[in-house]
Amino acid sequence: MSDRSTGAVRAAVAPAPDAVPTPAPARAPVPVAAPLAPGARFFPSLAAVYRAQLSRARVARIPLLFVATFQSVGIMVLMRGVVDGGSEARAVVAGSSVLVVAFVALNLLAQYFGQLRAGGGLDHYATLPVPPASVVLGAAAAYASFTLPGTLVTAVFGCLLFGLPMSALWILAAVVPLAGAALAGLGAALGLLAPRQELATLAGQLGMSAALLLGVLPPERMPAVIVWARDLLPSTYGVEAFARTFAPDPDWAAVAFDLGVCGAVGVVSLAVATWAYRRASVR
């Protein structure tokens, strides 16, 4: 066979250059998403929000304490002409002292969260990697921190005015935070659930008025319907616990029960306020 025929056979058997498979292009590596940083823990977030709110409200501390304390002291002076002593005097002093907490934790906190929602301030907190409960609790604790000095001054003045013993004023260390938690949760929920800022302010004012009328006035002189409404107010149990300590032989079991109810209401109200914060922050 000639070389020409051999080359023709090879050309017929060998594949064409276009039929030779070309290697597939190398794929670019798929980028792997970097792991997210762990979420902020609850207690460090709570401390950070508390310090920020405390420094923010520090400017208004003196006027705030003066207004809340002066209001409660004035109410006791007015009631001195009607109440002489006994259980009614205990109710007036205890109710006026807790009213300082209601003025700050209920009234002012409702206004603050209503203003925060209306002005878009919730968007700032929504971008922070902090639990919603820490925002509500931090703000509530910061506002309630200003109430202890005013409550103590009001209680001392009331004891001197009505001749009540001051040996059990240490109970305020439990009454103020528990009543403050219950009223602060209620105030925050009112401010976050109100559709308008003006309605949040109105709700806070009405809540403080209810704490004034139902907490300061002696329950013995109220109709039964008003007494039932009084039992629904969170601050009532703080008032009752404080008023019982003025008795010659206090019923400490009843005091502990009232404080326990006040603390349970505080947990529920703060949980509702946290839910209201989540609801308002996503709208």
Side-chain angles (χ1 to χ4, degrees), residues 14-280:
D18 294 340
V20 177
T22 57
R27 294 183 179 181
V30 179
V32 180
L36 297 177
R41 291 178 296 175
F42 174 76
F43 287 105
S45 302
L46 174 63
V49 175
Y50 174 77
R51 288 194 300 267
Q53 290 291 335
L54 194 65
S55 61
R56 177 186 177 278
R58 190 174 300 169
V59 179
R61 179 176 56 181
I62 296 178
L64 182 67
L65 290 177
F66 176 78
V67 171
T69 306
F70 181 78
Q71 174 183 251
S72 297
V73 169
I75 290 173
M76 287 191 299
V77 172
L78 292 176
M79 294 298 294
R80 185 64 180 86
V82 181
V83 177
D84 294 330
S87 61
E88 296 181 348
R90 300 169 193 165
V92 170
V93 175
S96 300
S97 301
V98 177
L99 183 62
V100 179
V101 183
F103 178 81
V104 177
L106 178 58
N107 183 25
L108 294 184
L109 203 59
Q111 296 182 28
Y112 170 72
F113 274 105
Q115 180 183 4
L116 199 66
R117 179 183 178 183
L122 292 180
D123 298 337
H124 167 71
Y125 286 106
T127 59
L128 299 178
V130 295
S134 64
V135 177
V136 176
L137 290 177
Y143 272 77
S145 298
F146 296 116
T147 63
L148 184 58
T151 303
L152 184 59
V153 170
T154 303
V156 171
F157 183 86
C159 291
L160 296 176
L161 186 64
F162 288 93
L164 297 177
M166 291 187 288
S167 58
L169 290 184
W170 56 267
I171 199 66
L172 288 176
V175 171
V176 170
L178 293 177
L183 293 173
L186 180 59
L190 291 175
L192 291 169
L193 293 176
R196 296 176 56 185
Q197 181 180 353
E198 295 80 5
L199 295 178
T201 302
L202 178 61
Q205 292 285 349
L206 291 177
M208 191 194 67
S209 299
L212 168 62
L213 296 176
L214 302 179
V216 174
L217 298 179
E220 292 84 359
R221 301 189 180 187
M222 295 182 182
V225 177
I226 303 300
V227 174
W228 294 339
R230 182 175 180 267
D231 293 337
L232 298 177
L233 193 65
S235 59
T236 299
Y237 301 95
V239 173
E240 291 291 337
F242 187 27
R244 293 180 192 275
T245 60
F246 292 125
D249 187 14
D251 187 356
W252 293 110
V255 172
F257 175 78
D258 288 332
L259 291 177
V261 173
C262 195
V265 174
V267 172
V268 174
S269 64
L270 288 172
V272 173
T274 302
W275 169 81
Y277 168 80
R278 290 174 177 168
R279 178 176 178 268

